[in-house]
Amino acid sequence: MKKLESTLTNMVVVLVAVALIMGSLLAYVNHITAAPIAAQAEKTLADGIKTVMQSNSLRVISTDTVRQTIGGKEYSFIIHHTQNSDKNATALGAAVESTTLGFGGNLRVLVGFNTEGTILGYTILESSETPGLGAKADKWFQRGNKGNVIGKTPVKDNLTVTKDGGSVDAITASTITSRAFLLAVNQAYAAYMQQAKSHKQLKERR
């Protein structure tokens, strides 16, 4: 087979061919991995909802997206309304996805509230915080730990860090992450309560 001459035209042709082949391979890999990734994300969220609602026997009856403008910036909150999966179908409250900006990037938190707005649990869905410091948020605010927020209600318990006059101990050397986490929780609560109020008013009009 005759060797290609080392000309500019031939080099361009080879580079384009390689780029097309690599692009096709990447597209194929993305195609075959998209479904498993989506399925895993769905399972992670479903497990997270059970964790934060402190119940394995529940079902999500509706999911709403609430948008609020806070400080000139628009935030989106995804509210998963839940109820017992038994025949009584008692309302349990909601698991709310809330995202804020932490020290290293987005901090996405899933917070479970009962129907009165008391925090049942939380889990971190996405974090770009520094390992060993900001990454402690997944444990620091759980029941029995220094920054515990479980069993508390944002409107009553001033869920901000003590440095800002609040009642919650910040993660050691990670005040920015602590503020971001608590902001996510407070904003999730506000979105949930606002929607609950709107639903109540709508029912009363009917």
Side-chain angles (χ1 to χ4, degrees):
M1 183 177 177
K2 186 178 179 181
K3 185 178 179 181
L4 283 175
E5 293 183 20
S6 182
T7 65
L8 178 61
T9 300
N10 286 340
M11 285 190 290
V12 170
V13 170
V14 170
L15 286 174
V16 170
V18 170
L20 288 172
I21 293 170
M22 292 303 297
S24 298
L25 286 173
L26 287 173
Y28 175 71
V29 171
N30 286 336
H31 174 70
I32 63 174
T33 59
I37 290 173
Q40 182 57 45
E42 187 175 335
K43 182 180 184 302
T44 298
L45 178 60
D47 291 343
I49 291 173
K50 290 179 180 179
T51 297
V52 303
M53 296 305 297
Q54 300 292 299
S55 174
N56 286 318
S57 57
L58 62 75
R59 62 183 171 213
V60 176
I61 55 173
S62 66
T63 297
D64 300 315
T65 298
V66 173
R67 292 179 174 82
Q68 293 184 342
T69 300
I70 305 169
K73 183 178 179 181
E74 185 176 82
Y75 292 83
S76 294
F77 305 90
I78 303 175
I79 304 176
H80 307 276
H81 298 276
T82 66
Q83 66 180 27
N84 275 322
S85 56
D86 60 22
K87 62 181 180 181
N88 294 321
T90 308
L92 296 175
V96 184
E97 295 180 54
S98 177
T99 303
T100 56
L101 185 64
F103 181 78
N106 280 343
L107 181 65
R108 187 160 65 103
V109 183
L110 182 68
V111 192
F113 299 98
N114 67 13
T115 54
E116 302 300 318
T118 300
I119 299 171
L120 299 173
Y122 78 87
T123 189
I124 306 295
L125 294 177
E126 176 187 349
S127 176
S128 303
E129 302 307 276
T130 306
L133 292 175
K136 289 182 179 179
D138 65 334
K139 298 285 191 301
W140 186 269
F141 303 99
Q142 300 286 5
R143 191 186 302 279
N145 292 323
K146 289 184 177 181
N148 174 45
V149 298
I150 310 304
K152 297 183 178 181
T153 306
V155 74
K156 297 177 182 177
D157 296 301
N158 192 8
L159 299 186
T160 56
V161 297
T162 53
K163 187 178 289 188
D164 298 334
S167 63
V168 182
D169 288 334
I171 301 169
T172 305
S174 286
T175 303
I176 293 175
T177 297
S178 300
R179 284 176 175 148
F181 171 82
L182 293 171
L183 180 61
V185 170
N186 281 292
Q187 290 181 348
Y189 170 82
Y192 174 46
M193 289 293 103
Q194 177 185 315
Q195 194 194 45
K197 182 179 179 181
S198 297
H199 283 180
K200 183 179 179 181
Q201 291 174 341
L202 184 61
K203 287 182 180 178
E204 288 173 349
R205 289 194 193 112
R206 292 176 179 173

